[in-house]
Amino acid sequence: HEDIELYVGRHFLIIPFGQSGFYILTELQTIADLKDGGDWEIWIGPEFGKLLAPGRILYAKPGWGIDPDSEDGDRNWSFEVGFRYFM
């Protein structure tokens, strides 16, 4: 559709490791600028996590841009560490 300027797709794949509580949750983002020549950008971030107790998760998530725009320095790499608590 001609009104759409930017498309962002987020795709996830989770791989649990048995009953250990460890997992890998890979996130793949695709971004397409449909207005300025159809430039594409891809980012991948594998999250390595551990379920500590029901509703409590500790994780680390490095991420890399695949062919990011070198002029802007946008999404070259990232690193996230966190704790999730679900009630």
Side-chain angles (χ1 to χ4, degrees):
H1 192 273
E2 64 186 50
D3 293 338
I4 298 173
E5 293 183 20
L6 190 68
Y7 168 78
V8 178
R10 294 180 72 193
H11 313 279
F12 298 90
L13 174 66
I14 188 164
I15 302 170
F17 293 102
Q19 300 295 320
S20 67
F22 287 99
Y23 68 90
I24 297 176
L25 174 64
T26 301
E27 179 179 354
L28 176 69
Q29 293 182 12
T30 55
I31 300 172
D33 185 348
L34 303 175
K35 204 133 192 166
D36 294 331
D39 291 335
W40 279 85
E41 185 175 311
I42 297 173
W43 179 86
I44 188 164
E47 175 179 310
F48 303 95
K50 169 73 170 136
L51 178 65
L52 303 173
R56 295 185 180 117
I57 299 171
L58 185 63
Y59 71 93
K61 184 176 186 177
W64 298 272
I66 300 171
D67 196 24
D69 187 353
S70 61
E71 291 179 13
D72 295 335
D74 192 29
R75 302 170 63 83
N76 288 325
W77 65 276
S78 63
F79 188 75
E80 178 181 338
V81 175
F83 177 76
R84 292 190 186 105
Y85 178 76
F86 299 98
M87 298 174 78

